[in-house]
């Protein structure tokens, strides 16, 4: 028997999911080499396309079957298209073969022309009406001005269009874990909104593939995959990165079955070349979605991505503008201020706002200034702790979990968790910004660590068998200081040092 490579948590990101050697059974695949001979064929080709469908090794020109002319024409079209590294040559059409309707999708994979024929689901003649609905949906997406509202609308629209039982917007975080940030679902289903899933649920190679091929349909998680055979050993395994019938990783199939899902369609939300999130659609039973409808969903996700990008850029620009104003006010203020503490203290309100924090303290020589509900005793204790930290030449210290690092401070009832300390020159002065605790209750969609179970391939690590909510309460931390906030901190320090250099020069001039 062929040896089955064991897939486990350590190596599942190396499972070569782009060359599975099989397709989903609701279609057939034929790949042609440069001389237009069949070099790969799915084992169900004759059964689906008719007994006269071309067989392995046969030249397309030698085949005679109903619908051949349409197939031939599309293959010729794709062969004539220029293919670049970033763009696959791809064309599709609807054809009648063997008394059935198929979506014919042809694309180039290296030197090969890959022909996929997907059975058309019955009763979906209204593609024109669908196109109109999709157009109106995109128009509505463009009019949203908040990311949350935009995603909420997108999942609703997607569910209307594609008819799944559940549609989720899944947004990745910096650590590649993800969160369901919007959801529209059949009322019989339990809500998944707000749940968090670990990074390993979508391994790295799958993420890379989802950047190249942005929509994938798993039409039936209980269907038996159909092997794709090669004409000879040289044919090697067929790269199906850009295919539409690619068979799905068995480990992911198991995951979906455990989740009670019958069919899944997910569409990448790509922003600045990065996988920002996905629209994940689940159905409780098997579900086929015609190719044209899937392509409209894909375009919808692109419109969504463009709008999310615009809104995020606007938020960033507004914050940057606020920061720029703060800097120029500081530079102005320093012209008249007695000292650095005075200049900064005058801006306590806008400073705490820009850094999204609740309190700040300023210290230089004997001067101590506090803003927010921060008793002097606490300010002193915090300052002492900051002064004792090894800065290793750095002018900035950012802490998100102060109680864990400074238990003694916590015992004194300080209650501060986030601390951003900026060193004011070499004279031992500090600007310290403080944040309160942000208790985060993570609703993991199941216990994050995977469990051993005995599957059909013997004992191995499998995706989670349980998707019951698992609450993790994270205490003693604040919101993290963003890179933009740290950068603003560094810029303020640079402004201050320029201002004091100018003052010194002024003083010297006055003396001479
Ligand atoms: C793929 N994992 C995926 C996909 C999703 C998720 C959306 C894309 C394929 C699809 O459309 O179904 C994960 N799906 C989720 C999450 C939610 C959801 C988080 O609905 C939340 C609601 N998965 C594991 C482990 C491994 C693993 C441990 O949990 C590996 C050991 C693998 N996931 C895995 C693989 C794929 C995948 C290999 C790629 C499937 C493919 O495209 O062939």
């Amino acid at each position: 028997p062929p040896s089955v490579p064991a897939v486990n948590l350590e190596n599942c990101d190396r499972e070569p999911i782009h060359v599975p050697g099989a397709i989903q059974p609701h279609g057939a695949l034929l790949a042609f080499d440069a001389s237009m001979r069949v070099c790969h064929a799915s084992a169900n080709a004759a059964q689906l396309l008719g007994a006269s469908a071309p067989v392995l090794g046969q030249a397309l020109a030698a085949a005679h079957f109903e619908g051949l002319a349409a197939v031939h024409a599309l293959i010729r079209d794709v062969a004539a298209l220029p293919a670049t590294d970033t763009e696959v040559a791809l064309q599709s059409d609807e054809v009648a073969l063997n008394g059935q309707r198929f979506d014919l999708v042809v694309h180039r994979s290296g030197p090969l022309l890959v022909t996929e024929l997907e059975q058309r689901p019955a009763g979906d003649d209204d593609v024109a009406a669908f196109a109109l609905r999709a157009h109106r949906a995109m128009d509505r997406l463009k009019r949203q001005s908040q990311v949350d509202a935009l995603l909420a609308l997108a999942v609703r629209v997607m569910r209307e269009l594609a008819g799944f039982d559940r549609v989720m917007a899944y947004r990745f975080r910096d650590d590649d874990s993800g969160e369901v940030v919007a959801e529209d679902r059949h009322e019989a289903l339990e809500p998944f909104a707000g749940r968090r899933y670990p990074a390993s649920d979508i391994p790295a190679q799958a993420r890379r593939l989802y950047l190249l091929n942005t929509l994938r349909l798993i039409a039936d998680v209980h269907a038996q995959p159909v092997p794709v055979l090669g004409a000879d050993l040289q044919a090697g395994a067929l790269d199906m990165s850009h295919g539409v019938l690619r068979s799905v990783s068995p480990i992911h199939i198991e995951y979906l079955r455990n989740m009670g899902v019958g069919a899944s369609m997910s569409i990448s939300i790509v922003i600045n070349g990065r996988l920002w999130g996905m629209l994940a659609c689940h159905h409780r039973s098997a579900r086929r979605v015609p190719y044209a409808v899937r392509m409209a969903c894909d375009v919808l996700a692109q419109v969504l991505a463009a709008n999310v990008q615009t809104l995020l850029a606007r938020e960033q620009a507004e914050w940057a503008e606020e920061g720029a104003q703060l800097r120029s006010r500081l530079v102005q203020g320093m012209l008249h201020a007695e000292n650095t503490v005075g200049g900064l203290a005058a801006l306590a309100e806008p400073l705490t706002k820009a850094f999204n924090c609740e309190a700040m303290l300023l210290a230089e020589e004997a001067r101590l200034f506090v803003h927010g509900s921060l008793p002097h005793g606490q300010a002193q204790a915090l300052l002492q702790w900051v002064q004792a930290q090894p800065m290793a030449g750095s002018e900035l210290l950012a802490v998100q979990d102060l109680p864990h690092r400074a238990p003694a401070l916590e015992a004194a009832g300080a209650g501060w968790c986030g601390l951003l300390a900026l060193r004011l020159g070499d004279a031992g002065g500090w600007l310290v910004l403080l944040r309160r605790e942000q208790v985060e209750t993570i609703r993991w969609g199941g216990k994050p660590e995977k469990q051993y179970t005995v599957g059909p391939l013997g004992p191995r690590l499998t995706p989670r068998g349980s998707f019951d909510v698992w609450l993790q309460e994270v205490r003693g931390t604040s919101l993290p200081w963003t890179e933009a906030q740290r950068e603003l901190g560094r810029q303020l320090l640079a402004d201050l040092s320029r201002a004091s250099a100018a003052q010194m020069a002024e003083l010297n001039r006055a003396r001479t």
Side-chain angles (χ1 to χ4, degrees), residues 191-235:
F192 282 180
R195 292 204 190 166
R196 190 87 82 75
Y197 298 83
S200 58
D201 280 19
I202 314 175
Q205 87 282 30
R207 284 167 207 261
R208 277 196 301 276
L209 190 54
Y210 298 163
L211 280 176
L212 293 178
N213 193 346
T214 49
L215 184 144
R216 66 224 65 89
L217 173 68
I218 304 167
D220 182 0
V221 305
H222 296 287
Q224 196 62 34
V226 176
V228 171
L229 310 169
D232 49 47
L233 281 175
Q234 269 121 57

Side-chain angles (χ1 to χ4, degrees), residues 7-9 12-13 15 17 168 170 180 192 197-198 200-203 205-206 209-210 216 218 246-249 251-252 255-256 259 264-266 278 280 282 450 461-464:
V7 184
N8 58 45
L9 200 58
C12 78
D13 60 347
E15 183 189 355
I17 62 173
M168 294 170 281
Y170 190 64
V180 178
F192 282 180
Y197 298 83
S200 58
D201 280 19
I202 314 175
Q205 87 282 30
L209 190 54
Y210 298 163
R216 66 224 65 89
I218 304 167
R246 181 176 63 82
S247 169
V248 177
S249 159
I251 205 158
H252 184 55
Y255 179 96
L256 290 174
M259 226 183 197
S264 149
M265 181 170 87
S266 52
M278 301 206 290
H282 290 172
K450 314 287 156 165
L461 273 168
T462 66
R464 287 197 302 278

Side-chain angles (χ1 to χ4, degrees), residues 349-365:
E349 199 57 51
L351 268 168
T352 45
K353 180 165 178 284
F355 284 92
N356 189 24
C357 62
E358 286 85 24
M360 67 178 242
L361 74 85
L362 280 162
E364 199 172 41
E365 292 163 15

Side-chain angles (χ1 to χ4, degrees), residues 76-151:
R76 267 202 309 267
D77 282 357
V78 173
L81 286 176
T84 64
D85 285 349
T86 50
E87 238 173 290
V88 253
L90 184 145
Q91 293 265 296
S92 69
D93 198 358
E94 193 188 304
V95 296
L97 291 174
N98 201 23
Q100 291 184 69
R101 287 193 311 150
F102 287 88
D103 279 321
L104 166 63
V105 187
V106 180
H107 76 273
R108 196 142 64 179
S109 170
L112 309 182
L113 289 158
V114 181
T115 305
E116 290 166 289
L117 292 130
E118 265 186 276
Q119 271 177 327
R120 209 50 197 282
D124 65 279
D125 292 314
D126 216 1
V127 172
F130 174 85
L132 278 176
R133 289 214 312 273
H135 182 262
R136 268 201 297 273
M138 289 179 216
D139 222 47
R140 282 164 69 201
L141 284 186
K142 281 188 228 152
R143 282 185 263 125
Q144 298 302 311
S145 57
Q146 297 289 323
V147 175
D148 293 349
L150 174 61
L151 293 170

Side-chain angles (χ1 to χ4, degrees), residues 142-378:
K142 281 188 228 152
R143 282 185 263 125
Q144 298 302 311
S145 57
Q146 297 289 323
V147 175
D148 293 349
L150 174 61
L151 293 170
L153 177 64
V155 293
R156 214 163 59 234
V157 156
M158 187 61 86
R159 188 157 165 246
E160 274 164 31
L161 287 177
F164 279 79
D165 288 335
R166 183 200 298 280
V167 177
M168 294 170 281
Y170 190 64
R171 180 179 181 174
F172 294 115
R173 303 165 61 96
D174 288 342
D175 63 358
D176 278 348
S177 72
E179 184 177 352
V180 178
V181 290
E183 177 183 43
D184 194 51
R185 62 180 212 284
H186 189 282
E187 74 267 9
L189 292 172
E190 86 177 293
F192 282 180
R195 292 204 190 166
R196 190 87 82 75
Y197 298 83
S200 58
D201 280 19
I202 314 175
Q205 87 282 30
R207 284 167 207 261
R208 277 196 301 276
L209 190 54
Y210 298 163
L211 280 176
L212 293 178
N213 193 346
T214 49
L215 184 144
R216 66 224 65 89
L217 173 68
I218 304 167
D220 182 0
V221 305
H222 296 287
Q224 196 62 34
V226 176
V228 171
L229 310 169
D232 49 47
L233 281 175
Q234 269 121 57
L238 179 65
D239 182 341
M240 292 189 211
S241 297
H242 292 282
V244 294
L245 287 171
R246 181 176 63 82
S247 169
V248 177
S249 159
I251 205 158
H252 184 55
I253 288 290
E254 191 173 322
Y255 179 96
L256 290 174
R257 287 184 188 164
N258 287 343
M259 226 183 197
V261 171
S264 149
M265 181 170 87
S266 52
I267 315 160
S268 311
I269 305 172
V270 181
I271 295 182
N272 291 329
R274 273 190 56 236
L275 197 59
W276 182 86
M278 301 206 290
L279 289 173
C281 313
H282 290 172
H283 209 56
R284 284 169 294 176
S285 51
R287 183 167 187 86
R288 290 187 198 164
V289 182
Y291 184 71
V293 172
R294 298 207 309 271
M295 290 306 100
C297 292
D298 202 33
V299 172
L300 193 108
Q302 287 173 30
V303 171
L304 173 64
N307 287 317
V308 170
Q309 180 171 10
T310 305
L311 294 181
L312 293 177
R314 188 182 304 162
E315 271 173 28
Q316 233 163 33
E318 280 166 8
W319 188 82
E321 173 58 31
E322 205 180 308
Q325 277 179 21
L326 185 62
R327 289 179 60 190
S328 74
R329 284 174 69 181
L330 180 63
V331 171
Q332 287 286 317
M334 286 308 292
L335 294 176
H336 316 291
E338 293 269 309
N339 49 49
T340 312
V341 167
L344 284 166
L347 294 172
E349 199 57 51
L351 268 168
T352 45
K353 180 165 178 284
F355 284 92
N356 189 24
C357 62
E358 286 85 24
M360 67 178 242
L361 74 85
L362 280 162
E364 199 172 41
E365 292 163 15
R367 285 179 288 275
L368 179 67
F369 169 89
V370 298
H371 174 80
S373 54
L374 180 65
H376 264 257
Q378 258 183 37

